[in-house]
Amino acid sequence: MIIILISFIFGACSAQRPEIKTMAESGVMDLTRVKLENSVVRLDGQWEFFWNQLIAPGKAETKSSNEYIQIPSSWNKYKGNEDQSGYGYATYRLQFITAENIKLGLKIPRMFTAYKLWVNGELIAIAGKVGENREIMTPQYIPQLALFESSQGVNEILIQVSNFHHRSGGMPKSINLGGEKQIIKLRDKSLAAELIIFGSLIYIGAYHLALFLFRKKNTSSLYFGLFCLLVGMRTLLVGERFFMYLFPNFSWEIAHKLQTLSFYFGVPLILLFFMSIYPQYFHARIIKIGQIIGAIFGFLVVLTPARIFTPFNPIYQMWTVFTIIYIIVALIKIWIRKEDGSWFITIGALVLLMSGANDIIFLNIWMNDNGPAFLKALIRTGSLSSVGQLVFAFANSLLLSKRFSDSLAREEILTAELTEINSNLDELVSQRTKDLEKSKEKIEQQKLELEKINKNLNQLSFKDCLTGIWNRRKYDETIEIEWRRCLRYKRPIALILLDIDYFKQFNDLYGHMAGDECLIKIGDTLKKSLSRSSDMAARYGGEEFIVLLPDSGKEEAIKIATMLRINIESIKIPHEKSSVSNYVTVSIGVTSTIPNNKSSYDDLFKVVDRALYQAKDAGRNQIKYLSQ
C-alpha cells in the first residue's frame, strides 16, 4: 500500500516532460526564448475575445475586439455575457511568437461544447458543429492532438466555440503547445495511465462480484464490485475520453448522461459499502437519504437533456461534499477505536475523498470563473478521482481479502478443535505428528535464515569494502549483460574511466588513512551524481573508478563525465602536491559505441583506457574521448 501511494505521489510530482510556465498578455505570448522542440507550454493567460462573433481566419485583424479573457476559464462571468449563462458563441485568438520554423503540436482538451481551431489560417481540429443557435450546432467532447508547422515570428491560433447544451461554456482547461514528439508522448502517457486504471478497476470489480455470487451474504463485495465497475467505465468518459476515440460519432448527450450518472450513483454505492463493513459507525437514515437523492438526480439525468440537468449538478456536488465530511468523521472514529482493517480503509478512503474533492472543486463553475489564484494554481487537473478510486479499490481489496483470510483462519481453528475432541484415541499419534511438524517448521526456518545469510554474503561480495560502491566483480558481471542487451537491440553503450591525479603524492603527504577517506568521498560523489537506475559506478582498482552508461551515446557520456569531474573537484579535498589544482582532481577517459558481432566489451575497455592515458598526457584534470 505504501509503495502504491508513493508511486502515485511521485508520479504526479515528477514530470516526464519539461513544462515551461509563461503567460499570454493582451493576446500575445512570446516563446522566442523557449526551446519548443523539447518543451510543453500551457497557453494560459489573456486571449483576445470576440463575444457572440464567429470570426473567420484572416478577419480578426480587421475586427480587433480590445477585449481579453483569462484562459483557462468559462465565459459565464464575462462582462459582455448579460445573462451570465454558458449559452452563446465566441471566437478566441492568440498570437504566439517563435524563433524558428518548427514542427509543433497542440494537445486540445474538451471545450464546451463544439469548436473549430485554425493555426495560421489552416483548419487543424474540429469537434462537433459550431453554430450561432441550438438548432444548427452539434455538441461533441473529444480531446484531440493536432500537429502543424509553425512559422518564424508571429503565429496565430483562432478558435470558434459555441455552446447551447451545457451550463458552462468556453475553454475551462489549458491547451498545451509543444514539440511534436513531446505532445504525442504527453497524449500517449495520459491514455496509457487511464487504460491501466480502467483495466485494474474492471478486474477488481469483476473479482468482487464473483465473490458475492459465491457468498451472497457478503453484501460488501456486491457494493464494492459495482462501485469499481461504475468507476472503471467512467474512466473511459473523462480525461482523455478514450471511448470517444473508439466511437467518435457517439451521441454527446448520451455520453454526458453516462458520465453524470456514474457520479450520481457512485456516491450512494460508496455509502452502502461503508455501511456494510462498519454498520455501527454509519446511520441507516443517512444512507437512505443518500440513495433517495442519488435516485432523484439519476432520474433527472435520464429524463431531461443536458441543458436542464447540468445546472443542478452543483447541488449534488454540495451533497457530495457533505457526504465526504460525514465519511471522514466516521473514519476518524474507526481509526481511534482501532477497528479491524482500519488502516486499509482509512488510507484508501482518504485518498479517494481528497481526489474526489479535488475534482469537484476543479469542475465547479465558481472555481472556473471566480476561484482564487492560489486555489487555481493548486487544483490544475480534474482527473485525479480515477487515481484515487484505484487506490481506494486496491486498499479495500486488501481489507476484504484480510477479512476472508481471517474467516478461514477461524474456521481452521474450530476444525482443529473438533478434530482434537474426536481423536482422543489417537492422541499419541497426534502428539508425534505435532512434534514432526514443529521439527519441520524449525528446519524450514533455519533454511530461510541460511538463504538470507547467503543472499547478504552474495550482496557483500559485489560491494567494495572501502568505498561501499560496486566492485570490479560486479562490473564484470554487469558489462557482459548490458553489452549483450545493447547488441540485441542495437542500442549505444558508454564507458567512463576515472583516475585520481597524483594520488601517490597525496598518500605520501597526508597518509594512507587520508587516502582512504579521499577514495570514500569520491565513490560517494560518483554514486550520488548518477541519476538513472541503469547507470553504474564501480571501483575498478586502486585509485581508478569506472562508470557504465547503458543506452548512452557520445554527447550524453561526455556531459556526464564533465559533471563528474566538476563534482569531484568541488568536494575541495586539499592536495598541495598536485600541479594542476589545490584540490584533488581526476583525469577521465570516455568512449561509446553501438555493439556489433565483430567487437567485445573488452575492446571497449581498451579504448577508454587509452582515452584516460591521453587525458593524463595532456596535463590531467580533463576529459578525452575516443571512439571504438
Side-chain angles (χ1 to χ4, degrees):
M1 190 63 191
I2 293 173
I3 292 173
I4 287 180
L5 287 174
I6 291 175
S7 300
F8 278 121
I9 292 171
F10 283 94
C13 293
S14 60
Q16 297 296 320
R17 57 187 174 89
E19 183 176 297
I20 308 300
K21 293 184 178 179
T22 184
M23 299 293 288
E25 296 182 4
S26 300
V28 179
M29 181 177 285
D30 187 354
L31 301 177
T32 54
R33 296 184 180 181
V34 180
K35 294 183 178 180
L36 289 173
E37 183 178 0
N38 301 316
S39 307
V40 173
V41 179
R42 292 180 186 268
L43 299 182
D44 294 348
Q46 295 176 336
W47 285 54
E48 195 171 0
F49 189 61
F50 301 86
W51 176 242
N52 280 345
Q53 298 181 66
L54 296 178
I55 308 297
K59 302 295 185 180
E61 294 287 353
T62 62
K63 297 185 178 182
S64 178
S65 67
N66 294 321
E67 295 287 342
Y68 301 95
I69 191 169
Q70 193 72 22
I71 298 299
S73 69
S74 68
W75 61 40
N76 293 45
K77 296 297 182 180
Y78 172 65
K79 61 183 180 180
N81 186 359
E82 296 178 357
D83 58 2
Q84 302 290 293
S85 74
Y87 298 157
Y89 53 93
T91 301
Y92 296 83
R93 180 172 179 256
L94 176 70
Q95 293 178 308
F96 66 93
I97 306 172
T98 59
E100 58 182 346
N101 296 338
I102 186 173
K103 289 185 177 180
L104 298 176
L106 289 174
K107 186 174 184 297
I108 310 166
R110 64 170 183 168
M111 298 188 191
F112 294 129
T113 50
Y115 68 88
K116 286 184 177 180
L117 189 150
W118 291 265
V119 174
N120 295 333
E122 179 183 357
L123 181 64
I124 63 171
I126 184 170
K129 181 180 179 182
V130 177
E132 297 180 354
N133 55 61
R134 177 178 174 80
E135 286 68 30
I136 63 174
M137 77 151 290
T138 302
Q140 186 180 34
Y141 281 169
I142 178 167
Q144 298 189 70
L145 186 150
L147 305 177
F148 65 94
E149 181 143 1
S150 70
S151 302
Q152 181 179 5
V154 178
N155 296 264
E156 179 191 62
I157 299 177
L158 192 75
I159 309 176
Q160 295 179 354
V161 182
S162 64
N163 171 59
F164 292 93
H165 291 76
H166 197 274
R167 71 179 189 277
S168 185
M171 297 166 53
K173 296 186 70 174
S174 299
I175 297 177
N176 287 310
L177 170 71
E180 181 178 341
K181 292 182 180 179
Q182 295 293 333
I183 288 294
I184 292 175
K185 183 189 294 186
L186 179 63
R187 190 274 309 273
D188 291 347
K189 285 185 177 181
S190 298
L191 279 176
E194 290 183 3
L195 290 178
I196 289 173
I197 293 172
F198 165 75
S200 302
L201 289 171
I202 293 298
Y203 185 85
I204 293 173
Y207 172 75
H208 285 89
L209 284 180
L211 286 180
F212 172 74
L213 293 177
F214 288 112
R215 186 177 175 82
K216 295 185 178 179
K217 290 183 179 180
N218 189 9
T219 56
S220 60
S221 294
L222 171 64
Y223 301 138
F224 185 64
L226 290 175
F227 177 77
C228 290
L229 292 179
L230 194 67
V231 172
M233 297 304 299
R234 181 179 183 273
T235 304
L236 297 182
L237 296 169
V238 298
E240 293 297 325
R241 300 177 183 271
F242 185 70
F243 184 84
M244 302 309 297
Y245 282 102
L246 298 177
F247 307 100
N249 296 322
F250 192 82
S251 169
W252 175 88
E253 191 81 37
I254 296 176
H256 196 69
K257 285 177 180 287
L258 293 174
Q259 175 189 340
T260 307
L261 285 172
S262 66
F263 171 45
Y264 288 173
F265 292 159
V267 175
L269 271 176
I270 205 65
L271 282 172
L272 285 169
F273 169 73
F274 281 120
M275 180 73 176
S276 65
I277 57 175
Y278 294 115
Q280 65 273 30
Y281 294 97
F282 291 87
H283 297 285
R285 183 173 298 177
I286 297 294
I287 307 303
K288 193 68 175 179
I289 292 173
Q291 292 175 274
I292 294 173
I293 292 176
I296 292 173
F297 277 82
F299 280 119
L300 181 66
V301 171
V302 172
L303 299 176
T304 62
R307 61 187 176 86
I308 293 179
F309 70 75
T310 52
F312 292 94
N313 196 44
I315 300 176
Y316 198 82
Q317 290 176 343
M318 293 175 61
W319 162 249
T320 304
V321 171
F322 169 79
T323 303
I324 290 174
I325 296 173
Y326 176 72
I327 294 175
I328 289 176
V329 172
L331 290 176
I332 293 174
K333 295 179 181 178
I334 293 170
W335 179 270
I336 292 174
R337 298 180 185 179
K338 297 181 179 180
E339 294 285 353
D340 181 39
S342 60
W343 191 87
F344 295 112
I345 193 72
T346 303
I347 297 297
L350 286 177
V351 174
L352 171 66
L353 298 177
M354 287 188 293
S355 61
N358 173 89
D359 287 11
I360 289 174
I361 295 173
F362 178 83
L363 296 172
N364 190 274
I365 295 178
W366 178 85
M367 174 65 183
N368 286 330
D369 299 326
N370 303 313
F374 78 92
L375 193 57
K376 285 186 176 182
L378 181 65
I379 310 296
R380 296 301 298 271
T381 177
S383 59
L384 293 183
S385 60
S386 296
V387 177
Q389 288 152 356
L390 178 58
V391 174
F392 174 74
F394 183 77
N396 285 281
S397 295
L398 294 178
L399 173 62
L400 295 177
S401 298
K402 182 178 181 302
R403 290 194 166 192
F404 180 68
S405 176
D406 291 344
S407 298
L408 288 179
R410 286 193 294 269
E411 183 179 347
E412 289 173 354
I413 292 173
L414 292 174
T415 302
E417 291 176 351
L418 182 62
T419 302
E420 184 179 357
I421 293 173
N422 294 329
S423 59
N424 288 330
L425 295 177
D426 299 323
E427 184 177 353
L428 180 61
V429 176
S430 175
Q431 184 62 40
R432 290 181 178 178
T433 302
K434 291 180 180 179
D435 292 339
L436 289 173
E437 289 177 351
K438 290 181 178 179
S439 177
K440 180 180 178 182
E441 290 176 358
K442 185 175 181 180
I443 293 172
E444 289 293 330
Q445 182 65 30
Q446 292 174 343
K447 180 181 177 182
L448 291 174
E449 292 177 357
L450 183 60
E451 289 176 352
K452 184 177 180 180
I453 292 172
N454 288 335
K455 183 178 180 181
N456 291 335
L457 289 174
N458 186 56
Q459 182 74 6
L460 289 173
S461 68
F462 286 116
K463 291 284 186 177
D464 179 60
C465 59
L466 176 63
T467 63
I469 65 175
W470 299 117
N471 59 19
R472 182 171 176 176
R473 179 184 176 190
K474 178 65 175 180
Y475 162 78
D476 291 337
E477 180 180 286
T478 306
I479 184 67
E480 181 178 0
I481 295 172
E482 291 297 334
W483 180 271
R484 290 179 179 176
R485 185 182 65 81
C486 292
L487 175 64
R488 185 183 307 115
Y489 296 107
K490 304 299 181 185
R491 299 291 299 164
I493 187 171
L495 281 182
I496 299 175
L497 188 60
L498 306 91
D499 185 85
I500 302 175
D501 296 328
Y502 305 108
F503 188 69
K504 182 179 182 303
Q505 290 83 342
F506 183 94
N507 275 336
D508 293 341
L509 179 62
Y510 298 101
H512 288 284
M513 290 185 65
D516 289 347
E517 186 66 22
C518 175
L519 292 171
I520 291 171
K521 289 182 178 180
I522 291 177
D524 187 57
T525 301
L526 292 176
K527 182 167 60 176
K528 290 180 178 179
S529 299
L530 299 176
S531 58
R532 299 188 310 176
S533 60
S534 59
D535 297 341
M536 173 190 182
R539 185 182 178 192
Y540 196 75
E543 67 268 26
E544 286 189 343
F545 296 84
I546 193 163
V547 176
L548 172 62
L549 302 173
D551 300 313
S552 297
K554 174 182 177 181
E555 292 182 0
E556 187 173 0
I558 293 175
K559 179 181 178 181
I560 293 175
T562 303
M563 175 192 65
L564 295 178
R565 186 190 67 79
I566 295 172
N567 288 353
I568 290 171
E569 188 171 7
S570 66
I571 305 173
K572 294 186 177 181
I573 304 173
H575 191 351
E576 295 179 4
K577 291 294 185 179
S578 174
S579 62
V580 294
S581 175
N582 293 328
Y583 303 105
V584 169
T585 60
V586 291
S587 299
I588 302 179
V590 184
T591 188
S592 65
T593 188
I594 297 178
N596 57 63
N597 293 325
K598 296 181 180 180
S599 61
S600 69
Y601 50 85
D602 289 331
D603 298 329
L604 189 65
F605 179 82
K606 292 176 182 178
V607 175
V608 78
D609 191 48
R610 291 201 304 271
L612 173 61
Y613 276 99
Q614 287 188 10
K616 289 182 177 181
D617 293 341
R620 303 180 186 256
N621 191 23
Q622 58 183 280
I623 298 169
K624 289 294 182 181
Y625 176 89
L626 285 179
S627 58
Q628 187 175 10

